[in-house]
Amino acid sequence: MKGSSGKPRAGAVRKAAHSKQVGTGGHGRKALEGKGPTPKAEDRSWHVAGKRKAAQERYEAAGGKGRAGGKGRAGGKGRSQRPGAPRGASGASQRSRSGDESEIVTGRNAVVEALRTKVPATTLYLAQRVEMDDRVRESLKMATNRGIPVLEVTRPELDRLAGDGGVHQGIALKVPAYEYAHPIELLDEVLAGDETPLFVALDGITDPRNLGAIIRSTAAFGGQGVIVPQRRSVGVTAAAWKTSAGAAARIPVAMAPNLTQTLKALKERGVFVLGLDGDGDVSLPGLEFADRPVAIVVGSEGKGLSRLVTETCDAIVSIPISAATESLNAGIAVSVALYEVARLRAAESA
């Protein structure tokens, strides 16, 4: 068709008289047939029901109770002492988070526990006219016997060493930077000791006081280690040492270069990974898998577990709480979960 100017109208294309339409070869018909019936929820590996089914199959394949070749424990069984910072004598990989920078451990419990576990401290600081109780006397005696220099300093100087908000109670200890275990080597060591692994993994916890409280709870309820990711996570600092009340000298902390991959590696070794979340589909009381090797994962109070970690967990566990309370602090949630696991293991072994 031509316009008034005699030129063909823009966009108008005349089909050739001999042209014919080419078929789709049946592709359109196949598309209309669809992809078949939707798989059941339990047959979808990414679905909550699918993960629950897979975890149950792993549980049943493992015998349903106890660890093959080992014994479940309620948490009271002793184990060889392993200095928390550093752990050179343990044979585990030494991975320092803060290079060669030293840490200042403050507080009477934290200092005496660090010295008892023979942490290679470099200096013991005492405030002038410090009140001498049993912990200070024991710390002074151990430092003297090991040849650790003891310096008497003013309280303002000790305040400066302790840092902002540090409560030193008149005593502080200078130690090398914390050296972290490797998660898989830590698992191997626990299995070699004929114990049922019980670990806590942190996903996005940045408050050192939370870490310290979790280390303390892990020690109290028979856990053998805490796992922290290398990025976007708190490390073992003086504040964490202080809050742990010295438990950081007994409970090793392992560093995971990638938390998701580490959790997957633990699962391949028979560890059941349980995430804590208020919207979990499994209730904590009477938890299954408690008698198996377990890693409890807790996220930050604000953001909770990350998506990738959630997808990696065998089950997402919720702690029943009052409707008037929105959530629990990470340290408290871990304490409750650890207590329940220890209780179930004790009942199983009774």
Side-chain angles (χ1 to χ4, degrees):
M1 180 177 179
K2 296 183 179 180
S4 57
S5 61
K7 296 180 179 180
R9 179 170 56 84
V13 178
R14 184 183 298 275
K15 292 184 178 179
H18 62 276
S19 66
K20 61 180 180 178
Q21 187 173 357
V22 179
T24 64
H27 292 298
R29 183 174 67 255
K30 292 180 180 179
L32 292 174
E33 292 176 356
K35 299 181 180 180
T38 302
K40 295 180 180 180
E42 62 182 16
D43 294 331
R44 287 176 261 169
S45 60
W46 64 90
H47 195 278
V48 172
K51 293 198 295 182
R52 188 189 303 119
K53 178 183 177 182
Q56 184 63 36
E57 290 175 349
R58 290 174 56 212
Y59 180 70
E60 293 173 355
K65 64 179 182 177
R67 176 174 60 81
K71 299 178 181 179
R73 73 188 189 99
K77 186 177 179 180
R79 58 195 303 267
S80 59
Q81 283 192 342
R82 301 168 47 160
R87 301 175 54 255
S90 69
S93 298
Q94 300 180 9
R95 300 192 174 190
S96 176
R97 187 186 185 102
S98 53
D100 296 329
E101 297 178 3
S102 297
E103 282 282 348
I104 301 295
V105 177
T106 60
R108 301 188 179 194
N109 284 332
V111 168
V112 74
E113 286 287 353
L115 289 170
R116 284 172 181 170
T117 53
K118 294 182 171 54
V119 169
T122 57
T123 309
L124 176 67
Y125 299 95
L126 292 178
Q128 293 175 346
R129 295 183 294 277
V130 65
E131 181 183 352
M132 299 290 290
D133 66 1
D134 291 342
R135 291 167 297 178
V136 175
R137 292 191 186 93
E138 184 179 356
S139 298
L140 183 59
K141 181 179 179 180
M142 287 188 291
T144 302
N145 291 341
R146 290 171 50 190
I148 300 173
V150 179
L151 297 182
E152 187 176 25
V153 297
T154 63
R155 285 196 173 267
E157 176 63 15
L158 204 52
D159 292 338
R160 186 190 67 79
L161 288 172
D164 294 338
V167 181
H168 51 71
Q169 298 176 305
I171 189 170
L173 187 69
K174 187 176 182 180
V175 300
Y178 193 93
E179 294 184 346
Y180 295 81
H182 188 282
I184 303 304
E185 291 182 1
L186 178 59
L187 173 62
D188 288 340
E189 182 175 337
V190 173
L191 292 174
D194 198 30
E195 297 179 273
T196 304
L198 177 56
F199 300 138
V200 177
L202 278 55
D203 181 21
I205 301 294
T206 57
D207 188 339
R209 291 168 297 182
N210 265 336
L211 173 58
I214 289 170
I215 293 173
R216 188 174 185 179
S217 296
T218 302
F221 295 113
Q224 300 99 352
V226 176
I227 301 172
V228 298
Q230 190 169 11
R231 290 186 170 186
R232 293 182 293 276
S233 174
V234 66
V236 182
T237 63
W241 269 86
K242 174 68 176 179
T243 310
S244 76
R250 305 187 304 276
I251 296 297
V253 177
M255 180 177 289
N258 182 293
L259 183 59
T260 302
Q261 295 302 318
T262 296
L263 294 177
K264 289 180 179 179
L266 292 176
K267 290 174 64 173
E268 291 175 357
R269 302 289 298 276
V271 177
F272 287 85
V273 179
L274 308 178
L276 295 182
D277 190 274
D279 296 326
D281 59 302
V282 177
S283 182
L284 178 64
L287 176 71
E288 293 186 51
F289 319 131
D291 59 336
R292 303 296 306 165
V294 168
I296 298 172
V297 191
V298 61
S300 64
E301 189 171 352
K303 297 181 180 179
L305 297 173
S306 64
R307 179 182 60 83
L308 290 177
V309 168
T310 300
E311 293 175 353
T312 304
C313 293
D314 288 309
I316 304 299
V317 181
S318 63
I319 300 174
I321 59 176
S322 168
T325 304
E326 183 177 351
S327 64
L328 293 176
N329 169 272
I332 295 175
V334 168
S335 297
V336 174
L338 286 170
Y339 167 78
E340 180 65 5
V341 171
R343 185 188 70 81
L344 291 171
R345 287 185 175 184
E348 180 71 21
S349 61

mmCIF file of all heavy atoms in Angstrom, residues 112-140:
data_model
loop_
_atom_site.group_PDB
_atom_site.id
_atom_site.type_symbol
_atom_site.label_atom_id
_atom_site.label_comp_id
_atom_site.label_asym_id
_atom_site.label_seq_id
_atom_site.Cartn_x
_atom_site.Cartn_y
_atom_site.Cartn_z
ATOM 1 N N VAL A 112 42.447 -16.897 85.928
ATOM 2 C CA VAL A 112 42.900 -18.117 86.597
ATOM 3 C C VAL A 112 42.640 -19.345 85.725
ATOM 4 O O VAL A 112 43.459 -20.279 85.688
ATOM 5 C CB VAL A 112 42.232 -18.262 87.986
ATOM 6 C CG1 VAL A 112 40.766 -18.673 87.866
ATOM 7 C CG2 VAL A 112 42.998 -19.272 88.839
ATOM 8 N N GLU A 113 41.527 -19.371 84.965
ATOM 9 C CA GLU A 113 41.254 -20.500 84.072
ATOM 10 C C GLU A 113 42.277 -20.548 82.941
ATOM 11 O O GLU A 113 42.728 -21.632 82.546
ATOM 12 C CB GLU A 113 39.837 -20.389 83.502
ATOM 13 C CG GLU A 113 38.738 -20.714 84.481
ATOM 14 C CD GLU A 113 38.637 -22.205 84.774
ATOM 15 O OE1 GLU A 113 39.340 -22.990 84.101
ATOM 16 O OE2 GLU A 113 37.884 -22.580 85.678
ATOM 17 N N ALA A 114 42.635 -19.394 82.407
ATOM 18 C CA ALA A 114 43.627 -19.358 81.337
ATOM 19 C C ALA A 114 44.973 -19.884 81.828
ATOM 20 O O ALA A 114 45.657 -20.642 81.131
ATOM 21 C CB ALA A 114 43.766 -17.935 80.802
ATOM 22 N N LEU A 115 45.363 -19.516 83.024
ATOM 23 C CA LEU A 115 46.638 -19.985 83.578
ATOM 24 C C LEU A 115 46.591 -21.468 83.909
ATOM 25 O O LEU A 115 47.582 -22.182 83.737
ATOM 26 C CB LEU A 115 46.993 -19.165 84.816
ATOM 27 C CG LEU A 115 47.420 -17.712 84.547
ATOM 28 C CD1 LEU A 115 47.498 -16.929 85.845
ATOM 29 C CD2 LEU A 115 48.761 -17.674 83.816
ATOM 30 N N ARG A 116 45.446 -21.944 84.382
ATOM 31 C CA ARG A 116 45.322 -23.370 84.702
ATOM 32 C C ARG A 116 45.511 -24.239 83.467
ATOM 33 O O ARG A 116 46.046 -25.349 83.568
ATOM 34 C CB ARG A 116 43.947 -23.651 85.320
ATOM 35 C CG ARG A 116 43.808 -23.219 86.779
ATOM 36 C CD ARG A 116 42.362 -23.350 87.223
ATOM 37 N NE ARG A 116 42.169 -22.929 88.615
ATOM 38 C CZ ARG A 116 40.979 -22.774 89.189
ATOM 39 N NH1 ARG A 116 39.874 -23.010 88.475
ATOM 40 N NH2 ARG A 116 40.884 -22.384 90.444
ATOM 41 N N THR A 117 45.047 -23.764 82.324
ATOM 42 C CA THR A 117 45.173 -24.545 81.091
ATOM 43 C C THR A 117 46.489 -24.284 80.370
ATOM 44 O O THR A 117 46.673 -24.694 79.225
ATOM 45 C CB THR A 117 44.003 -24.235 80.143
ATOM 46 O OG1 THR A 117 43.914 -22.829 79.941
ATOM 47 C CG2 THR A 117 42.691 -24.738 80.708
ATOM 48 N N LYS A 118 47.396 -23.587 81.059
ATOM 49 C CA LYS A 118 48.756 -23.357 80.549
ATOM 50 C C LYS A 118 48.790 -22.592 79.227
ATOM 51 O O LYS A 118 49.596 -22.891 78.334
ATOM 52 C CB LYS A 118 49.521 -24.675 80.423
ATOM 53 C CG LYS A 118 49.785 -25.349 81.767
ATOM 54 C CD LYS A 118 50.580 -26.621 81.606
ATOM 55 C CE LYS A 118 51.032 -27.174 82.945
ATOM 56 N NZ LYS A 118 49.945 -27.380 83.909
ATOM 57 N N VAL A 119 47.881 -21.640 79.087
ATOM 58 C CA VAL A 119 47.957 -20.742 77.942
ATOM 59 C C VAL A 119 49.295 -20.006 78.017
ATOM 60 O O VAL A 119 49.668 -19.502 79.082
ATOM 61 C CB VAL A 119 46.784 -19.737 77.973
ATOM 62 C CG1 VAL A 119 46.998 -18.635 76.954
ATOM 63 C CG2 VAL A 119 45.476 -20.451 77.698
ATOM 64 N N PRO A 120 50.032 -19.933 76.912
ATOM 65 C CA PRO A 120 51.360 -19.295 76.952
ATOM 66 C C PRO A 120 51.275 -17.784 77.094
ATOM 67 O O PRO A 120 51.540 -17.042 76.152
ATOM 68 C CB PRO A 120 51.980 -19.715 75.622
ATOM 69 C CG PRO A 120 50.812 -19.930 74.724
ATOM 70 C CD PRO A 120 49.734 -20.495 75.590
ATOM 71 N N ALA A 121 50.900 -17.349 78.283
ATOM 72 C CA ALA A 121 50.762 -15.910 78.530
ATOM 73 C C ALA A 121 52.133 -15.245 78.586
ATOM 74 O O ALA A 121 53.151 -15.891 78.847
ATOM 75 C CB ALA A 121 50.018 -15.684 79.835
ATOM 76 N N THR A 122 52.140 -13.942 78.341
ATOM 77 C CA THR A 122 53.406 -13.206 78.336
ATOM 78 C C THR A 122 53.552 -12.256 79.512
ATOM 79 O O THR A 122 54.673 -11.942 79.908
ATOM 80 C CB THR A 122 53.541 -12.400 77.033
ATOM 81 O OG1 THR A 122 52.412 -11.525 76.903
ATOM 82 C CG2 THR A 122 53.598 -13.333 75.825
ATOM 83 N N THR A 123 52.436 -11.800 80.084
ATOM 84 C CA THR A 123 52.512 -10.872 81.218
ATOM 85 C C THR A 123 51.250 -10.988 82.071
ATOM 86 O O THR A 123 50.145 -11.083 81.535
ATOM 87 C CB THR A 123 52.643 -9.410 80.750
ATOM 88 O OG1 THR A 123 53.706 -9.301 79.811
ATOM 89 C CG2 THR A 123 52.920 -8.485 81.933
ATOM 90 N N LEU A 124 51.439 -10.963 83.399
ATOM 91 C CA LEU A 124 50.321 -10.876 84.341
ATOM 92 C C LEU A 124 50.346 -9.495 84.979
ATOM 93 O O LEU A 124 51.375 -9.068 85.508
ATOM 94 C CB LEU A 124 50.433 -11.952 85.418
ATOM 95 C CG LEU A 124 49.366 -11.906 86.529
ATOM 96 C CD1 LEU A 124 47.979 -12.230 85.948
ATOM 97 C CD2 LEU A 124 49.706 -12.872 87.670
ATOM 98 N N TYR A 125 49.221 -8.784 84.894
ATOM 99 C CA TYR A 125 49.116 -7.440 85.460
ATOM 100 C C TYR A 125 48.258 -7.482 86.716
ATOM 101 O O TYR A 125 47.160 -8.064 86.716
ATOM 102 C CB TYR A 125 48.472 -6.472 84.460
ATOM 103 C CG TYR A 125 49.241 -6.301 83.169
ATOM 104 C CD1 TYR A 125 48.920 -7.065 82.045
ATOM 105 C CD2 TYR A 125 50.274 -5.368 83.070
ATOM 106 C CE1 TYR A 125 49.621 -6.909 80.858
ATOM 107 C CE2 TYR A 125 50.972 -5.206 81.888
ATOM 108 C CZ TYR A 125 50.650 -5.981 80.785
ATOM 109 O OH TYR A 125 51.342 -5.825 79.610
ATOM 110 N N LEU A 126 48.776 -6.850 87.798
ATOM 111 C CA LEU A 126 48.020 -6.723 89.034
ATOM 112 C C LEU A 126 47.894 -5.253 89.399
ATOM 113 O O LEU A 126 48.864 -4.489 89.278
ATOM 114 C CB LEU A 126 48.708 -7.467 90.186
ATOM 115 C CG LEU A 126 48.759 -9.003 90.114
ATOM 116 C CD1 LEU A 126 49.523 -9.553 91.310
ATOM 117 C CD2 LEU A 126 47.352 -9.575 90.077
ATOM 118 N N ALA A 127 46.701 -4.876 89.816
ATOM 119 C CA ALA A 127 46.504 -3.493 90.245
ATOM 120 C C ALA A 127 47.157 -3.275 91.605
ATOM 121 O O ALA A 127 47.245 -4.195 92.438
ATOM 122 C CB ALA A 127 45.007 -3.180 90.328
ATOM 123 N N GLN A 128 47.650 -2.072 91.837
ATOM 124 C CA GLN A 128 48.245 -1.741 93.129
ATOM 125 C C GLN A 128 47.211 -1.909 94.241
ATOM 126 O O GLN A 128 46.042 -1.540 94.093
ATOM 127 C CB GLN A 128 48.763 -0.304 93.109
ATOM 128 C CG GLN A 128 49.943 -0.089 92.167
ATOM 129 C CD GLN A 128 50.364 1.367 92.085
ATOM 130 O OE1 GLN A 128 49.644 2.259 92.518
ATOM 131 N NE2 GLN A 128 51.533 1.620 91.504
ATOM 132 N N ARG A 129 47.641 -2.534 95.325
ATOM 133 C CA ARG A 129 46.791 -2.769 96.497
ATOM 134 C C ARG A 129 45.528 -3.556 96.127
ATOM 135 O O ARG A 129 44.438 -3.303 96.641
ATOM 136 C CB ARG A 129 46.412 -1.448 97.178
ATOM 137 C CG ARG A 129 47.616 -0.712 97.761
ATOM 138 C CD ARG A 129 47.195 0.537 98.494
ATOM 139 N NE ARG A 129 46.618 1.524 97.582
ATOM 140 C CZ ARG A 129 47.347 2.368 96.859
ATOM 141 N NH1 ARG A 129 48.688 2.338 96.943
ATOM 142 N NH2 ARG A 129 46.778 3.239 96.059
ATOM 143 N N VAL A 130 45.677 -4.520 95.228
ATOM 144 C CA VAL A 130 44.541 -5.351 94.832
ATOM 145 C C VAL A 130 44.151 -6.257 95.991
ATOM 146 O O VAL A 130 44.990 -6.706 96.776
ATOM 147 C CB VAL A 130 44.897 -6.203 93.589
ATOM 148 C CG1 VAL A 130 46.003 -7.207 93.904
ATOM 149 C CG2 VAL A 130 43.655 -6.921 93.074
ATOM 150 N N GLU A 131 42.865 -6.505 96.136
ATOM 151 C CA GLU A 131 42.367 -7.402 97.176
ATOM 152 C C GLU A 131 42.765 -8.831 96.824
ATOM 153 O O GLU A 131 42.410 -9.345 95.761
ATOM 154 C CB GLU A 131 40.850 -7.294 97.290
ATOM 155 C CG GLU A 131 40.265 -8.190 98.365
ATOM 156 C CD GLU A 131 38.746 -8.116 98.418
ATOM 157 O OE1 GLU A 131 38.184 -7.248 97.719
ATOM 158 O OE2 GLU A 131 38.138 -8.925 99.146
ATOM 159 N N MET A 132 43.472 -9.491 97.716
ATOM 160 C CA MET A 132 44.008 -10.821 97.427
ATOM 161 C C MET A 132 43.027 -11.900 97.866
ATOM 162 O O MET A 132 42.931 -12.226 99.042
ATOM 163 C CB MET A 132 45.355 -10.999 98.141
ATOM 164 C CG MET A 132 46.427 -10.009 97.723
ATOM 165 S SD MET A 132 47.021 -10.279 96.032
ATOM 166 C CE MET A 132 47.910 -11.807 96.251
ATOM 167 N N ASP A 133 42.274 -12.441 96.909
ATOM 168 C CA ASP A 133 41.433 -13.597 97.224
ATOM 169 C C ASP A 133 42.120 -14.855 96.690
ATOM 170 O O ASP A 133 43.258 -14.800 96.193
ATOM 171 C CB ASP A 133 40.020 -13.427 96.660
ATOM 172 C CG ASP A 133 39.988 -13.412 95.134
ATOM 173 O OD1 ASP A 133 41.065 -13.550 94.501
ATOM 174 O OD2 ASP A 133 38.893 -13.272 94.561
ATOM 175 N N ASP A 134 41.458 -16.002 96.787
ATOM 176 C CA ASP A 134 42.078 -17.266 96.381
ATOM 177 C C ASP A 134 42.440 -17.278 94.894
ATOM 178 O O ASP A 134 43.480 -17.838 94.505
ATOM 179 C CB ASP A 134 41.130 -18.435 96.681
ATOM 180 C CG ASP A 134 40.974 -18.681 98.173
ATOM 181 O OD1 ASP A 134 41.837 -18.205 98.938
ATOM 182 O OD2 ASP A 134 39.983 -19.330 98.565
ATOM 183 N N ARG A 135 41.601 -16.663 94.057
ATOM 184 C CA ARG A 135 41.871 -16.682 92.613
ATOM 185 C C ARG A 135 43.090 -15.840 92.270
ATOM 186 O O ARG A 135 43.914 -16.230 91.428
ATOM 187 C CB ARG A 135 40.643 -16.176 91.860
ATOM 188 C CG ARG A 135 39.439 -17.115 91.927
ATOM 189 C CD ARG A 135 38.179 -16.435 91.444
ATOM 190 N NE ARG A 135 37.830 -15.296 92.300
ATOM 191 C CZ ARG A 135 36.796 -14.495 92.085
ATOM 192 N NH1 ARG A 135 36.019 -14.694 91.034
ATOM 193 N NH2 ARG A 135 36.535 -13.489 92.906
ATOM 194 N N VAL A 136 43.236 -14.689 92.921
ATOM 195 C CA VAL A 136 44.401 -13.844 92.662
ATOM 196 C C VAL A 136 45.668 -14.538 93.155
ATOM 197 O O VAL A 136 46.706 -14.530 92.473
ATOM 198 C CB VAL A 136 44.229 -12.466 93.327
ATOM 199 C CG1 VAL A 136 45.509 -11.635 93.164
ATOM 200 C CG2 VAL A 136 43.043 -11.721 92.723
ATOM 201 N N ARG A 137 45.606 -15.152 94.343
ATOM 202 C CA ARG A 137 46.777 -15.858 94.873
ATOM 203 C C ARG A 137 47.194 -17.003 93.961
ATOM 204 O O ARG A 137 48.378 -17.198 93.683
ATOM 205 C CB ARG A 137 46.464 -16.390 96.275
ATOM 206 C CG ARG A 137 46.296 -15.312 97.346
ATOM 207 C CD ARG A 137 46.262 -15.930 98.729
ATOM 208 N NE ARG A 137 45.973 -14.933 99.748
ATOM 209 C CZ ARG A 137 44.748 -14.651 100.198
ATOM 210 N NH1 ARG A 137 43.698 -15.316 99.720
ATOM 211 N NH2 ARG A 137 44.565 -13.737 101.121
ATOM 212 N N GLU A 138 46.198 -17.766 93.474
ATOM 213 C CA GLU A 138 46.525 -18.884 92.596
ATOM 214 C C GLU A 138 47.112 -18.394 91.277
ATOM 215 O O GLU A 138 48.082 -18.971 90.765
ATOM 216 C CB GLU A 138 45.270 -19.726 92.329
ATOM 217 C CG GLU A 138 45.561 -20.966 91.490
ATOM 218 C CD GLU A 138 44.327 -21.812 91.237
ATOM 219 O OE1 GLU A 138 43.247 -21.487 91.779
ATOM 220 O OE2 GLU A 138 44.435 -22.797 90.479
ATOM 221 N N SER A 139 46.556 -17.315 90.750
ATOM 222 C CA SER A 139 47.086 -16.754 89.499
ATOM 223 C C SER A 139 48.519 -16.289 89.678
ATOM 224 O O SER A 139 49.389 -16.540 88.825
ATOM 225 C CB SER A 139 46.206 -15.580 89.035
ATOM 226 O OG SER A 139 44.894 -16.000 88.763
ATOM 227 N N LEU A 140 48.788 -15.615 90.768
ATOM 228 C CA LEU A 140 50.133 -15.110 91.054
ATOM 229 C C LEU A 140 51.122 -16.271 91.216
ATOM 230 O O LEU A 140 52.250 -16.238 90.698
ATOM 231 C CB LEU A 140 50.105 -14.241 92.305
ATOM 232 C CG LEU A 140 51.418 -13.571 92.717
ATOM 233 C CD1 LEU A 140 51.943 -12.671 91.607
ATOM 234 C CD2 LEU A 140 51.225 -12.762 94.002
#
